[in-house]
Amino acid sequence: MLDPTLIGYGTFIALVALIILGVPIAWAISGVSFGALFLIYGIGPTISQFYTTAFSSAGEFLFSAVPLFIFAGQLISKARIGEDLFDTMHKWFGRLPGGLLVSTVSASAAFGAVTGVSAAAVGTMAKVAMPEMIRYKYDVKMSAGAIACASTIAIMLPPSLLLILYGLQTETSISKLFIAGIVPGIIMAIVFSAYNVIRCALKPELGPRGPRFSWRERFLSLGKLSPVVIIFGVVIGGLYNGFFTPGESAAVCAFSVLLYSIVTRRVKMKEIIDAAYDAVSLSAMVFAILIAMTVFSRVLIATRVTSDLVDLISSAGLNMYVVFALFILLLLVLAMFLDALGMLLLTLPFMFPVMMGLGFDPIWFGIVMVLMAEVGLITPPVGMNIFILSKSLPSVPTIHMFQGAWPYVALCILLVILFTIFPQLVLWLPNSM
Amino acid sequence: MLWLIEKTAYALGVIGGIVLLLPMCLVVIFDISSRILLGSGLPWAVDTGSVLMVSFVFAILPWSLVRGSHIRMDIFYIMAGRRFRLVSDLIATLGAASFFGLIGWGAINTIPRYLRIGTASPNVSIPYWPFAALIVFVCALSLIILVLQIFGRMKKPDQIPNA
């Protein structure tokens, strides 16, 4: 019989090879897991492991958060809440240098407060903000970069699909992860806005100032924020006070958005069905990976690969921050080739135990992982947000969008360094729960 | 035959997926309202939510297979030649077949045990065997789709609009 550890390493190498070959992640994981479990246990127990894992994983009610948050996000997009948010932010920040860019960042952050996915935010902001930016002769690269990158704030601020998946995979408190995402999300929005203001102040032709609005107009525009404030308040307030669980918060969020959209007659039945269809499509991909990954985690336990890896790194006597920096470097490389979801789910089974073994905080690490996953949404050649943006703005070359996104990649890395030096920025709020 | 398989996958995706989304949402809302207003949750909510989720997850998989909605690292796949793609597609099919084949086989093995012991959900005893039967059906349908796709009888995902 083959040594299980040897099988484990072989499995890992095969998995990497299959993913490079372009095999869909779910099927690559499933295939190698089958091979490994078959070699260790034989066919009978392998079948049993696959079925019991699939049935119990699929029956996990927390999984319902995935389609429901996506549904809510799509519905918000179709209910034109994004337009209202941008209008309000424009009235408040439009007068600043690069005011439309700041308005986009702040509207995206507000959008993120009621949706857990960035795709909805980037699609909406492209439609709303870009025509205004073109009208005021904003630099195309900066404009496209700001729209694509500001939308990533949506997955840091609660409710966040990636934080739910991180919590599911690592058994970390999702409520605490949600609460922990608030301060980093706000800091991201401030840093992104400050970058735009400074660049446009130094070089005004990049983003000229917008029109001035009266205080009366500004205050009146705040009324348009009310649905977002109410939905965010209900979801996060309910979570913070323990009225419902994170899985249930997805249903509350989806139901609130649906109710608002129907009552205000902002969406037609067809648009509701379209939103549900989008939710179902994306969820199917995520579920297949989640089920395969749960089986794969059994392979890792059976082959002791993860525990060996933890022992190896511990015995190497490396400084914990050196290991962390190496992981960040690896994530940065992976971010270029993998989708945010894929990268998160694929690397967690290896990285999480090592990081915990080194003494890092699981909540803090979750926020850093999500920040790195955000980088994956905007880096070439597989920057999902850039591709969504290029569909909305076919006249802007994709290369210009990637060029506009690079400064934000650097800002995200700086934020990782900031959160590493000052972990309290991430942890003080969840620790106060 | 092809038409029937595509329509069945689509119907499962629509009925199982889209139609189940609202009840899933409502079950939770009722449960939370009951907890807040009446002081205790609904005993059937957890069980119903759980079996609805099983149905939802498996119902949407065949249609996603037909549409080719996958998360993959396709940079080398896009740039590669026909032979490379063929190898990649073949391995992907085998991986997917292992996924659906093993889960479906496991479900077939389990249904008689579920029926014999009467395995059901913990609170309101919803029997599990119908959901295992659904899994068998979904896995069989998915395997047929995979076979048809590899032999070129069904449209490849990149030939379907918006795939």
Side-chain angles (χ1 to χ4, degrees):
Chain A
M1 191 186 153
L2 279 169
D3 177 19
T5 313
L6 203 64
I7 295 171
Y9 288 119
T11 306
F12 180 68
I13 293 165
L15 180 61
V16 173
L18 293 185
I19 288 169
I20 291 172
L21 261 176
V23 175
I25 293 172
W27 309 147
I29 298 169
S30 178
V32 296
S33 302
F34 167 52
L37 288 173
F38 177 70
L39 287 172
I40 298 168
Y41 299 120
I43 191 70
T46 303
I47 292 168
S48 170
Q49 293 255 17
F50 261 80
Y51 172 70
T52 48
T53 307
F55 195 86
S56 58
S57 301
E60 176 67 62
F61 193 71
L62 206 49
F63 268 29
S64 67
V66 177
L68 290 171
F69 271 136
I70 300 172
F71 175 62
Q74 295 296 333
L75 209 55
I76 287 168
S77 177
K78 291 178 197 305
R80 300 184 303 283
I81 292 176
E83 280 90 328
D84 289 349
L85 290 174
F86 183 78
D87 184 58
T88 304
M89 297 305 172
H90 185 207
K91 286 197 167 70
W92 281 88
F93 303 119
R95 190 67 193 144
L96 290 171
L100 287 172
L101 301 170
V102 179
S103 306
T104 304
V105 171
S106 41
S108 294
F111 202 98
V114 279
T115 175
V117 284
S118 71
V122 74
T124 305
M125 286 303 145
K127 272 183 265 174
V128 182
M130 201 63 192
E132 287 295 300
M133 290 176 184
I134 291 169
R135 192 156 71 94
Y136 284 95
K137 296 190 171 51
Y138 270 53
D139 179 72
V140 174
K141 285 180 199 169
M142 264 198 98
S143 309
I147 294 171
C149 305
S151 317
T152 63
I153 302 171
I155 51 173
M156 178 62 81
L157 285 167
S160 158
L161 182 61
L162 287 191
L163 287 176
I164 289 176
L165 294 176
Y166 176 90
L168 274 169
Q169 287 287 295
T170 61
E171 293 177 4
T172 306
S173 161
I174 297 172
S175 303
K176 286 196 170 185
L177 283 167
F178 273 8
I179 301 299
I182 294 175
V183 175
I186 293 170
I187 292 175
M188 273 181 85
I190 294 170
V191 169
F192 286 4
S193 299
Y195 158 75
N196 285 312
V197 171
I198 292 167
R199 269 205 79 184
C200 293
L202 294 173
K203 212 173 174 187
E205 65 270 24
L206 290 175
R209 290 169 189 269
R212 190 185 294 277
F213 292 95
S214 69
W215 283 104
R216 181 183 149 74
E217 281 176 301
R218 288 180 186 182
F219 280 109
L220 280 177
S221 73
L222 288 178
K224 290 182 179 176
L225 291 181
S226 54
V228 169
V229 172
I230 291 168
I231 295 168
F232 183 75
V234 166
V235 172
I236 300 305
L239 267 176
Y240 196 87
N241 293 305
F243 287 132
F244 41 79
T245 64
E248 291 171 338
S249 73
V252 174
C253 184
F255 187 73
S256 314
V257 176
L258 186 64
L259 203 65
Y260 169 80
S261 307
I262 292 171
V263 169
T264 56
R265 295 186 181 181
R266 284 192 162 217
V267 289
K268 298 185 180 107
M269 186 48 88
K270 189 189 174 301
E271 287 172 316
I272 296 174
I273 292 170
D274 284 348
Y277 187 77
D278 290 340
V280 167
S281 293
L282 187 57
S283 305
M285 300 187 239
V286 178
F287 287 143
I289 296 181
L290 279 173
I291 292 172
M293 213 61 214
T294 315
V295 177
F296 187 66
S297 63
R298 295 195 178 191
V299 174
L300 292 178
I301 292 166
T303 57
R304 293 183 41 83
V305 166
T306 318
S307 50
D308 278 5
L309 194 67
V310 175
D311 291 345
L312 186 78
I313 291 172
S314 308
S315 61
L318 287 171
N319 181 293
M320 63 195 280
Y321 291 104
V322 173
V323 179
F324 173 65
L326 290 173
F327 277 172
I328 292 296
L329 207 63
L330 176 66
L331 288 171
L332 201 58
V333 174
L334 286 174
M336 294 181 187
F337 300 102
L338 277 171
D339 166 77
L341 277 170
M343 187 181 92
L344 187 86
L345 294 174
L346 202 61
T347 53
L348 269 181
F350 300 100
M351 286 190 179
F352 185 77
V354 173
M355 294 302 285
M356 294 311 104
L358 290 171
F360 285 96
D361 185 278
I363 305 277
W364 173 85
F365 186 57
I367 298 300
V368 170
M369 280 292 280
V370 168
L371 192 51
M372 290 310 294
E374 289 181 9
V375 172
L377 291 168
I378 51 175
T379 44
V382 193
M384 191 61 82
N385 276 15
I386 300 287
F387 289 120
I388 295 169
L389 190 61
S390 65
K391 277 185 185 172
S392 304
L393 305 170
S395 59
V396 181
T398 312
I399 188 79
H400 285 179
M401 295 181 184
F402 279 124
Q403 284 170 344
W406 276 117
Y408 295 90
V409 175
L411 290 175
C412 286
I413 303 294
L414 282 176
L415 284 171
V416 169
I417 295 169
L418 179 78
F419 297 148
T420 308
I421 297 170
F422 303 106
Q424 304 87 339
L425 288 172
V426 176
L427 294 173
W428 77 269
L429 206 51
N431 285 346
S432 70
M433 277 176 87
Chain B
M1 178 70 175
L2 278 176
W3 176 86
L4 183 69
I5 286 163
E6 274 195 16
K7 287 287 171 197
T8 311
Y10 178 71
L12 265 175
V14 171
I15 299 165
I18 295 171
V19 177
L20 284 182
L21 207 60
L22 191 62
M24 267 177 4
C25 194
L26 289 177
V27 164
V28 177
I29 299 297
F30 287 147
D31 191 34
I32 295 169
S33 310
S34 165
R35 268 202 318 258
I36 294 171
L37 300 174
L38 306 172
S40 68
L42 302 167
W44 53 268
V46 177
D47 291 14
T48 314
S50 181
V51 293
L52 277 174
M53 266 313 289
V54 172
S55 315
F56 178 83
V57 170
F58 281 95
I60 62 180
L61 287 175
W63 180 237
S64 103
L65 210 56
V66 172
R67 292 188 73 221
S69 320
H70 298 300
I71 295 171
R72 58 157 47 157
M73 189 173 120
D74 54 5
I75 178 106
F76 299 113
Y77 182 86
I78 290 166
M79 291 190 300
R82 197 176 157 269
R83 196 170 293 176
F84 181 97
R85 286 185 181 206
L86 199 69
V87 172
S88 176
D89 286 346
L90 194 66
I91 296 171
T93 304
L94 289 174
S98 73
F99 182 88
F100 290 109
L102 293 168
I103 293 172
W105 195 349
I108 291 172
N109 288 343
T110 316
I111 291 173
R113 187 158 51 86
Y114 279 170
L115 285 167
R116 197 174 59 247
I117 305 171
T119 312
S121 63
N123 298 318
V124 285
S125 300
I126 301 171
Y128 279 162
W129 71 263
F131 302 97
L134 172 74
I135 292 174
V136 173
F137 178 71
V138 163
C139 289
L141 182 68
S142 303
L143 286 171
I144 294 169
I145 292 168
L146 286 170
V147 170
L148 291 173
Q149 278 180 344
I150 206 72
F151 288 109
R153 298 285 301 278
M154 188 176 262
K155 276 181 192 166
K156 285 271 164 58
D158 54 9
Q159 293 171 287
I160 299 170
N162 301 320

